[in-house]
């Protein structure tokens, strides 16, 4: 166990890569991005690239801004996630130029110029007058721009977010650099700490809101720093796939707890779900069976595997689990074919993960952006690509008791294949999801989430 600092806060770091070796991974990361970008610029007819960090929109009829979320193309290059209006200039053969926004503003504290070791690899330039920024690239030929249109007054409209350039960059982004993988291991470790704290709150009888607050505290991250809104759901609420409330009072009877919550490290996300039963029951058995099935599915994350097959394999395996616990009356393969598994497992088995929780490029078949089709009858699968080393995916099977889907199945021929008494027994528990973040490697898959839980145990 090494120790280190996360964004200046002292937090024990369990990974065996220290802060300084993470910084050593940054230079090769930049080189990889530069190589990919040079190729993509040449292929799409550009000489250089400008990336704007973005700025938070202002609320309607108000002078308050929404939380700031940095342009993912920007944070791919530099770990600046909290200072809007910065600009990057990527020019083949030159060092990365970072125009760091430092306005004259006595209402706010202007961000300080970063001093971390990664800054040695870039040209970091303070900028207080963005209208003059284009002087930096005026001589560079045809310059592409990625960012909000509002900051591209200087640009020719055909060079603003050009789809063919974006497609190439999005496709390449699925394969992570060693630096990115290490950031994601750390995001997983922060998440694992949060999950332990939230579970302790649940076990003490605290409310959804309290479990959420303990989660944030253990991660040492503000709500707006989370890579997505935490899903913290007790009992029937856990049947709502993207449950968005936080009950302030604990229910009289605590039966189940589903928490889907991640964290970020230098702009890279983790996306972790765990489900807990409050006491022994058929539901608790189902959690255990789903957990075992999920571990087996994680072994499918290997090079050359078609992720669509992983999804269909998940249906077969969950179908078998459903039959074993008495929820359905037919084996997994038949349940898949008849659409019975989709009643209880209506989402995809997972997605790409990285700079964004649902990272771009999941259904791209090539750098041109041609779509790789989803299997018939599976419209919500977010990832249809072939797996290759460096690709990070989630593996997140779930079984839920969702009223509208159950009603639809009850009204058609699927009714005969479901044990409705077991449905009624399980309904008060809501649902189950178990979600890990898994790296495809040339050898065994690396389960960053289970590794992180083991480190913080
Ligand atoms: N947290 C959103 C998801 O699992 O996809
Ligand atoms: Mn996910
Ligand atoms: Mn999730």
């Amino acid at each position: 166990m090494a120790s280190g600092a996360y964004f200046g806060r002292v937090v024990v770091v369990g990974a065996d890569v220290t802060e300084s070796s993470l910084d050593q991974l940054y230079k090769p990361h930049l080189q990889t991005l530069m190589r990919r970008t040079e190729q993509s610029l040449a292929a799409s007819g550009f000489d250089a690239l400008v990336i704007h960090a973005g700025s938070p929109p202002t609320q309607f009829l108000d002078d308050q801004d929404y939380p700031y979320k940095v342009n993912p193309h920007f944070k791919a290059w530099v770990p600046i996630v909290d200072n809007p209006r910065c600009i990057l200039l990527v020019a083949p053969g030159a060092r990365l130029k970072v125009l760091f926004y430092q306005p004259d503003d006595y209402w706010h504290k202007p961000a300080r110029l970063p001093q971390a070791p990664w800054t040695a690899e870039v040209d970091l330039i303070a900028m207080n007058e963005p209208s003059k920024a284009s002087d930096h690239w005026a001589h560079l030929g045809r310059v592409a721009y990625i960012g909000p249109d509002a900051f591209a007054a200087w640009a020719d409209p055909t060079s603003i977010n050009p789809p063919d350039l974006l497609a190439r960059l999005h496709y390449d982004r699925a394969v992570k650099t060693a630096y990115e993988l290490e950031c994601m291991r750390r995001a997983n470790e922060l998440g694992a700490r949060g999950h332990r704290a939230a579970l302790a709150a649940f076990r003490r009888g605290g409310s959804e809101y309290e479990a959420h607050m303990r989660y944030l505290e253990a991660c040492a991250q503000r709500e707006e720093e989370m890579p997505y809104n935490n899903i913290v759901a007790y009992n029937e609420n856990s049947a709502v796939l993207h449950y968005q409330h936080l009950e302030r009072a604990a229910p009289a009877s605590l039966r189940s707890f589903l928490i889907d919550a991640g964290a970020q490290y230098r702009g890279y996300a983790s996306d972790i779900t765990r489900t807990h039963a409050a006491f022994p029951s058929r539901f608790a058995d189902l959690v255990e069976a789903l957990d075992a099935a999920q571990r087996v599915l994680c072994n499918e994350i290997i090079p050359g595997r078609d992720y669509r097959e992983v999804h269909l394999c998940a249906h077969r395996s969950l179908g078998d689990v459903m039959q074993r616990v008495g929820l359905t009356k037919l084996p997994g393969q038949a349940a898949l074919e008849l659409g019975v598994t989709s009643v209880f497992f209506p989402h995809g088995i997972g997605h790409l993960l990285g700079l964004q929780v649902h990272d771009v490029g999941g259904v791209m078949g090539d750098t041109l952006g041609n779509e790789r089709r989803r299997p018939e009858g599976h419209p919500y699968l977010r990832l249809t690509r072939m797996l290759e080393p460096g690709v990070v995916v989630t593996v997140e099977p779930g079984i839920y008791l969702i009223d509208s889907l159950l009603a639809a199945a009850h009204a058609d021929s699927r009714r005969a294949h479901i044990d409705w008494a077991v449905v009624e027994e399980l309904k008060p528990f809501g649902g189950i999801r178990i979600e890990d973040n898994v790296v495809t490697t040339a050898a065994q898959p690396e389960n960053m989430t289970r590794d992180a839980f083991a480190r913080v145990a």
Side-chain angles (χ1 to χ4, degrees):
M1 275 263 225
S3 68
Y6 284 96
F7 294 127
R9 302 175 197 110
V10 177
V11 175
V12 175
V13 179
D16 54 7
V17 178
T18 63
E19 203 63 26
S20 66
S21 53
L22 176 62
D23 285 318
Q24 283 161 16
L25 296 175
Y26 179 70
K27 185 174 179 177
H29 167 72
L30 270 190
Q31 287 167 336
T32 299
L33 288 193
M34 192 58 91
R35 179 177 45 75
R36 289 177 182 170
T37 305
E38 280 180 22
Q39 286 168 354
S40 296
L41 286 171
S44 43
F46 291 99
D47 301 304
L49 171 63
V50 168
I51 304 173
H52 196 282
S55 89
T58 303
Q59 295 170 34
F60 183 57
L61 297 180
D62 205 334
D63 63 357
Q64 302 296 307
D65 291 340
Y66 287 102
Y68 169 60
K69 303 287 177 185
V70 63
N71 172 359
H73 284 274
F74 181 92
K75 64 175 171 169
W77 290 87
V78 288
I80 301 171
V81 297
D82 56 359
N83 191 32
R85 294 171 185 263
C86 297
I87 297 173
L88 299 178
L89 174 57
V90 185
R95 273 159 66 91
L96 178 70
K97 220 177 240 192
V98 183
L99 306 180
F100 189 84
Y101 189 48
Q102 276 188 323
D104 295 325
D105 174 2
Y106 55 78
W107 292 98
H108 302 100
K109 181 170 174 180
R112 248 188 281 156
L113 217 54
Q115 293 188 329
W118 65 263
T119 59
E121 307 304 331
V122 305
D123 289 343
L124 187 59
I125 300 162
M127 166 181 72
N128 74 358
E129 193 34 83
S131 63
K132 301 207 183 94
S134 58
D135 292 353
H136 287 276
W137 56 84
H139 60 289
L140 286 178
R142 191 154 183 248
V143 178
Y145 169 84
I146 298 178
D149 292 17
F151 302 107
W154 55 271
D156 153 16
T158 62
S159 63
I160 298 176
N161 298 314
D164 55 339
L165 174 63
L166 286 176
R168 288 171 191 282
L169 296 175
H170 288 173
Y171 187 81
D172 288 347
R173 191 161 116 191
V175 175
K176 270 48 184 188
T177 65
Y179 169 83
E180 292 177 305
L181 293 176
E182 181 53 25
C183 289
M184 293 177 76
R185 285 184 198 107
R186 294 174 183 216
N188 266 273
E189 187 163 323
L190 290 171
R193 290 178 191 286
H195 274 264
R196 281 169 61 89
L199 176 58
F202 169 74
R203 297 271 187 236
R204 283 195 304 271
S207 65
E208 291 172 351
Y209 172 79
E210 193 185 330
H212 168 72
M213 296 309 285
R214 296 291 83 76
Y215 182 94
L216 296 178
E217 197 171 60
C219 293
Q221 293 196 349
R222 298 164 69 180
E223 195 163 61
E224 65 194 55
E225 291 174 279
M226 293 284 106
Y228 56 93
N229 288 333
N230 286 356
I231 298 166
V232 182
Y234 290 178
N235 300 346
E236 290 88 345
N237 293 340
S238 53
V240 181
L241 298 180
H242 285 170
Y243 174 69
Q244 71 277 39
H245 300 293
L246 293 166
E247 295 285 353
R248 299 305 203 266
S253 156
L254 285 181
R255 297 181 286 276
S256 60
F257 175 37
L258 183 154
I259 171 165
D260 182 344
Q264 63 160 311
Y265 191 85
R266 295 198 186 190
Y268 288 88
S270 57
D271 178 11
I272 304 170
T273 310
R274 288 293 181 267
T275 306
H276 307 278
F279 47 79
S281 61
R282 192 194 299 263
F283 177 80
D285 295 344
L286 190 52
V287 173
E288 206 172 296
L290 188 77
D291 187 73
Q294 193 268 2
R295 287 173 192 259
V296 174
L297 285 168
C298 289
N299 295 330
E300 297 278 324
I301 306 308
I302 49 173
R305 195 85 166 110
D306 184 335
Y307 194 80
R308 296 175 295 194
E309 255 311 308
V310 179
H311 175 78
L312 296 176
C313 183
H315 271 268
R316 288 188 281 268
S317 129
L318 294 191
D320 288 340
V321 167
M322 292 170 201
Q323 186 189 30
R324 271 208 311 280
V325 300
L327 187 55
T328 56
K329 302 175 185 171
L330 67 186
Q333 174 64 33
L336 165 61
E337 284 164 13
L338 296 173
V340 174
T341 48
S342 294
V343 177
F344 302 98
F345 174 43
H347 58 72
I349 186 60
H351 49 85
L352 294 174
L353 178 71
L355 292 162
Q356 293 170 289
V357 64
H358 299 147
D359 218 3
V360 290
V363 296
M364 293 175 72
D366 53 39
T367 54
L368 303 177
N370 291 310
E371 187 178 322
R372 244 173 105 83
R373 295 171 72 86
R374 296 172 173 88
E376 189 88 28
H378 297 264
Y380 300 117
L381 182 58
R382 288 188 166 101
L383 176 55
T384 58
R385 285 171 66 160
M386 300 295 287
L387 297 175
E388 55 184 303
V391 172
V392 181
V393 301
T394 66
V395 177
E396 48 179 305
I399 294 179
Y400 315 86
L401 290 300
I402 300 173
D403 284 331
S404 58
L405 300 183
L406 289 167
H410 197 269
D412 65 32
S413 57
R414 291 172 297 177
R415 176 179 175 169
H417 306 301
I418 294 171
D419 186 323
W420 296 94
V422 175
V423 166
E424 288 310 312
E425 180 186 334
L426 290 174
K427 256 189 183 178
F429 298 86
I432 304 170
R433 181 164 61 258
I434 313 271
E435 177 175 26
D436 289 342
N437 306 163
V438 183
V439 190
T440 319
T441 80
Q444 293 301 305
E446 176 190 344
N447 190 321
M448 294 192 286
T449 309
R450 302 237 178 210
D451 290 351
F453 274 109
R455 283 200 302 273
V456 305

